[in-house]
Each structure stands twice: as structure tokens, then as C-alpha cells.
Amino acid sequence: MVEGNDGVDEPGWDVDPEDEISAVVEMVGSQLKLRRETANLRVAEFAEAVGYGEDLVRKIERGARIPRPEYLDKVDEVLAAGGLVSAMKKEMREARYPKKARDLAKLEAQAVEIGLYSNHNIHGLLQTEEHMRALFEMRQPSYSMDQVERDVAARLARHVVFARSPAPALHFVQEEATLRRTIGGKMVLRRQLEHLVEVAQLRNVTFQVMPLDCGSHAGMGGLIEVLKFRDGTAIGRSEGAFGGHPVSDPKHLRILELRYGMIRAQALRPRESLAFVEELLGET
């Protein structure tokens, strides 16, 4: 057995039985067990062949553990599965993402228009990998490195929204303070600002800055998100309304859309916002 590959106690890969994704993990585990038994390999023999501990193999086969990509690749090799086991990597990688991140990614993948206002941090869809990693690493109580990597991977996966075709309309309003905070140090901030300049110039993106000298404005209640879908429905959320819970009732949505419309009207225009970020970049 390869030393250090037991992995049973490693955090971040166990399955929450209350999470609906557990059914998918159980199905994959059953398929792996069936393939092992078809190859007439006992657990001990199989564990030695793939270089992992017997306990880990058993946990994966009963659906209590999400198999790592490298584990699936090794199983594919040992069982000569011709890539059929390795093909499970995408689903299992996504199964590891927190449920909240998975749910949000699904909504973003379906939306034809997304409006976002962020006042505390640069919005997750705009963050570079370095920036988001620095944010997760400063959490208190502190995260394990495995948890940090899990959350970074989940947030990065949501960035596929920029590659969608047809592209959704994306509207961002960022508080100036979020663009000045040196999360991760000056070089991380500089690369983050460079990324914002690139994103702000995409044809389907509207990027605006809410300047500090604006004083009070419609976004003082906190983050606002409004996602609109092809069938005319929408869902929204605001930290300062409805207990921060997602809402889809038209009456509640009108309130969020009113606030978001006012925020966009009070912020710098897109061209001014781009110039503002470029100026900050020059100062960094």
C-alpha cells in the first residue's frame, strides 16, 4: 500500500447523509464495488492493488466517502475500465462542493440575467483564485487547508458562467472599499484589479463602482442578488431584506429590483468605473 494514501480521516470528503448528493455518491460506490467483485478481487487484494487502505475502499463502496479523482484514475487502471471509472471524476468533484455552492451554481447556470451588488468583499464571480484563497484562509475559526481548497474549487467552478453560450447579461456593482482592501497582499490585489479590468470589458458584462463619496445609497442594507430566467421567473436575495433568505414572490422581487435599480443609478457609469479601477491599478 502506498504510504499516506489511507485518507480515511482526511476532512472534506465525507458525505452528509442529509445532502441529496449522497444518493449519487452511493450509486458510484455501488458501481465501483460491482466492478471489483466482477474482477474477482477481495477488498484486501483490491486495496493493495490501488494503493489505498481497506477502510477507505469500504467507505467509498458503501457511499460514505467521496472518491478523489486520483483514486478513480487508479481504479480505472487496475480494473482496465477503459476510462469508464475515470469519467466519474467530474460528478464526484462537484459532489464535494458545499450544497450552498452547488445550488447557487445551478441557478447561475440557468439565469439569462444576473444583477449583483457587493459591499463587503469583491463578489465571488469576480474573484481571482489567489484572492478567494486568501479570503478563506483568514476565516475564524480557521479552516483546514482541505476545507479551503474545497471552497476555492467550488467558487472557481461557478466562473463557468462567463463561458456560457448564449452568454447571460451580468451586472456588477462593487463598493469602492472592496477594491482597496489588500486581501492577500498588494500583488494579489494588483492581479485582482487586472482581472476586474478584463472582465469589465466583456460584451455581456456591466461593471460599476459605488464610490465612497456617494454617502448613503440604496445598498446600505448589504449584498443584493437578482437572477432572472428565460421563462420570466426570477429569484433574489438581500442581506437587508426578508431575513436574507432567497425570495421569488413578485412583490418581494419588486422591492429588490427597485433597490438594485437605484444602486446602479447612484454608482459610477460603466466607463467611469473602468477608468476608476485602472487608476487604482496604477496606484497599486
Side-chain angles (χ1 to χ4, degrees):
M1 185 182 71
V2 178
E3 185 179 358
N5 267 3
D6 200 341
V8 175
D9 297 324
E10 185 184 6
W13 292 88
D14 284 326
V15 180
D16 181 358
E18 301 299 319
D19 190 335
E20 70 269 11
I21 201 69
S22 63
V24 178
V25 180
E26 287 177 9
M27 180 187 68
V28 168
S30 297
Q31 287 293 318
L32 295 177
K33 181 179 180 181
L34 179 61
R35 287 180 176 275
R36 173 182 61 77
E37 291 176 340
T38 301
N40 294 316
L41 288 170
R42 297 193 301 272
V43 171
E45 296 172 324
F46 182 72
E48 184 176 357
V50 297
Y52 287 81
E54 292 180 41
D55 288 345
L56 179 64
V57 171
R58 289 192 175 93
K59 288 191 73 173
I60 288 174
E61 290 188 353
R62 69 173 183 265
R65 188 78 172 174
I66 303 168
R68 280 180 171 274
E70 55 268 27
Y71 178 88
L72 293 173
D73 283 338
K74 189 62 178 179
V75 171
D76 195 285
E77 177 188 335
V78 169
L79 297 180
L84 294 178
V85 172
S86 291
M88 301 175 183
K89 287 190 293 186
K90 181 177 184 295
E91 286 184 333
M92 290 300 93
R93 187 180 291 111
E94 292 177 355
R96 191 182 178 227
Y97 300 158
K99 184 178 185 302
K100 182 178 179 181
R102 294 200 314 270
D103 292 344
L104 188 54
K106 289 178 183 177
L107 290 174
E108 290 168 347
Q110 298 167 5
V112 295
E113 183 177 353
I114 303 176
L116 303 162
Y117 162 70
S118 189
N119 68 325
H120 187 60
N121 289 313
I122 292 173
H123 194 276
L125 289 180
L126 295 173
Q127 293 172 11
T128 63
E129 182 176 349
E130 291 176 303
H131 185 98
M132 63 181 73
R133 180 170 282 106
L135 277 173
F136 287 128
E137 287 178 350
M138 67 176 58
R139 290 283 179 89
Q140 294 296 328
S142 61
Y143 283 6
S144 68
M145 288 311 299
D146 189 76
Q147 182 67 47
V148 169
E149 293 305 319
R150 180 187 183 194
D151 287 347
V152 167
R155 185 164 292 180
L156 277 175
R158 290 170 51 203
H159 287 196
V160 298
V161 70
F162 291 102
R164 279 177 49 197
S165 181
L170 301 171
H171 310 289
F172 297 95
V173 181
Q174 281 290 151
E175 280 288 344
E176 176 184 341
T178 67
L179 307 178
R180 292 184 178 276
R181 191 168 291 120
T182 53
I183 302 295
K186 285 191 174 182
M187 287 307 299
V188 172
L189 175 60
R190 180 173 180 82
R191 285 189 283 268
Q192 176 64 68
L193 293 175
E194 290 173 341
H195 180 65
L196 290 179
V197 169
E198 294 176 2
V199 173
Q201 296 180 79
L202 296 175
R203 293 174 58 192
N204 63 314
V205 171
T206 302
F207 178 83
Q208 294 177 262
V209 175
M210 180 66 76
L212 289 173
D213 60 14
C214 179
S216 61
H217 56 76
M220 300 303 289
L223 176 144
I224 293 179
E225 299 174 323
V226 179
L227 289 78
K228 299 181 179 181
F229 306 101
R230 193 173 302 280
D231 62 0
T233 61
I235 188 168
R237 181 174 73 92
S238 173
E239 291 176 343
F242 317 117
H245 300 299
V247 296
S248 55
D249 185 294
K251 293 180 181 179
H252 294 160
L253 285 169
R254 276 197 292 273
I255 293 174
L256 297 186
E257 289 180 334
L258 172 64
R259 292 182 182 177
Y260 191 65
M262 292 179 67
I263 289 171
R264 293 188 66 187
Q266 291 171 302
L268 298 177
R269 290 177 297 179
R271 183 171 297 181
E272 296 171 329
S273 297
L274 177 58
F276 185 89
V277 176
E278 289 175 332
E279 184 176 345
L280 282 181
L281 184 55
E283 297 172 358
T284 305

